[in-house]
Structures are given as C-alpha cells and as structure tokens.
Amino acid sequence: MRIVPVSIATLVAATLLLSGCTADPLSEQYAEIGDPGYASADGTISEFAPDERGEAIVFDGTTDEGNPLSSSDYAGEVLVVNFWYAACAPCRVEAPDLAALSAKYQDVGARFLGVNVYDQAETSLAFARSFDIEYPSIIDANSGAVRLAFAGHAPPSAVPTTLVLDKQGRVAARFIGLIDEPSILDTMISDLIAEES
C-alpha cells in the first residue's frame, strides 16, 4: 500500500515540473472516478456546541519555509487546520476552495494552516505554488507531533481532514474527507468569528 502514494507523489512532482502546472490530471481523475482507495473519505461533517468542545489544542511545528509555528500564534482567532499531502487526489480537489476561503477571511478573524502528513518541504512548497495557497503548512511527516496533538479529533489515517478551531483553540467542527461543499465551511467560519468569546 505504501508504494502507491510514493509512486503517485513522484508522478505528480514530475507532472507539475513538466506541465508548468497548467492542469492537474490527478484531481481530474479523482473527480471522474471518485476516491480510489485513499484512507478516510467518508464525507462526515461534525459540529460541536461550545460546551462539547473540550480543551484547547496545543501544538507546535516547523513550516515548509522553515519557520516555527505554534497554537499560540493563533490565539483569539478562528483557525482552520487542513491535514493533507500532495499526492492525495481529494486534497488537490479541495485546495482551490481552501485557498479562496483563506483569502476571503484574511485579516478578518480567521486564518488557515496546513499540516502536511507525508511530504517534505520542497514538495509542500511546490503544491502551495501550484494552487496559489498563501497560508503556511507545517511539515509533520517526520515527527507526527501535530497529528498527535489533534489525535482525539482527527483520525491519523484520515486525509484529508479539516478541523475548525474556535477563538479559544477548541475544535468546533470537523470535516473527514473531501470538502465538496465549501459554502458549509464558509458559514461555519463566519459563525465562529461572530461567536462571543
């Protein structure tokens, strides 16, 4: 099973370099045939009332640009955390929507963070360039420390998974699998920004 992601990652990297990023055949193939065996994509969406959110999540890591980043950097803001890797076809499908929502909420109370669970920095940065993603991604492939911090909320093999943290850093919503209705995420972010601290 591990050979498949490595082969796909190599193919995707070569395709991006040779094609100049004009098309994304992997995400097009996914759209045509659906999920060909990626762990997780059951499409479950969960929302949690304030009294069901538990403790704030505490994490730290290093971004694909080599910068340290931690949960304290997002204090008082809504945070959308997306677990992904470059050869994950559903991750590629949802990437443009996440990039657009990140731009929409920039400087208005919500920020986005990627957690790359498989790749190294060069591959992560190439993905960000291909999909015009401006928000940072922590490289978690070597340590798994960020996945461990979120272990009670995000199954480690479930990629993509997107969590929305409230202003106190607690998990308020969870998307397991592809976000195929970005308007739902948009509404959740807006509601959490408006929510009293």
Side-chain angles (χ1 to χ4, degrees):
M1 288 298 281
R2 279 208 163 297
I3 294 172
V4 174
V6 172
S7 299
I8 292 173
T10 303
L11 177 62
V12 169
T15 302
L16 291 175
L17 288 172
L18 296 174
S19 70
C21 306
T22 56
D24 187 16
L26 188 58
S27 60
E28 288 173 6
Q29 180 185 19
Y30 176 81
E32 289 174 10
I33 64 170
D35 184 349
Y38 290 89
S40 83
D42 64 1
T44 301
I45 301 172
S46 305
E47 283 189 86
F48 306 101
D51 62 350
E52 299 174 338
R53 294 177 188 166
E55 298 296 317
I57 305 296
V58 178
F59 65 87
D60 62 76
T62 303
T63 70
D64 49 17
E65 294 184 326
N67 301 317
L69 200 60
S70 73
S71 48
S72 62
D73 294 314
Y74 299 98
E77 296 182 285
V78 173
L79 177 62
V80 179
V81 181
N82 177 250
F83 292 82
W84 69 281
Y85 64 93
C88 160
C91 301
R92 301 177 76 81
V93 171
E94 70 182 10
D97 293 324
L98 293 175
L101 285 172
S102 172
K104 175 179 178 177
Y105 285 103
Q106 186 175 2
D107 301 323
V108 292
R111 293 165 68 189
F112 282 59
L113 173 65
V115 178
N116 190 307
V117 301
Y118 189 79
D119 305 312
Q120 297 303 313
E122 186 176 311
T123 303
S124 181
L125 289 167
F127 184 95
R129 287 191 298 270
S130 297
F131 292 98
D132 296 320
I133 294 171
E134 298 292 329
Y135 56 86
S137 277
I138 288 176
I139 298 299
D140 200 47
N142 299 328
S143 71
V146 178
R147 275 178 290 172
L148 183 60
F150 285 93
H153 303 282
S157 64
V159 180
T161 289
T162 302
L163 303 173
V164 187
L165 279 58
D166 66 14
K167 296 174 192 174
Q168 289 77 45
R170 305 171 303 172
V171 175
R174 176 179 58 215
F175 295 76
I176 297 180
L178 171 70
I179 299 175
D180 57 1
E181 292 291 339
S183 61
I184 296 172
L185 176 58
D186 190 359
T187 299
M188 288 178 178
I189 295 169
S190 179
D191 289 349
L192 286 169
I193 290 172
E195 192 174 85
E196 292 295 325
S197 298

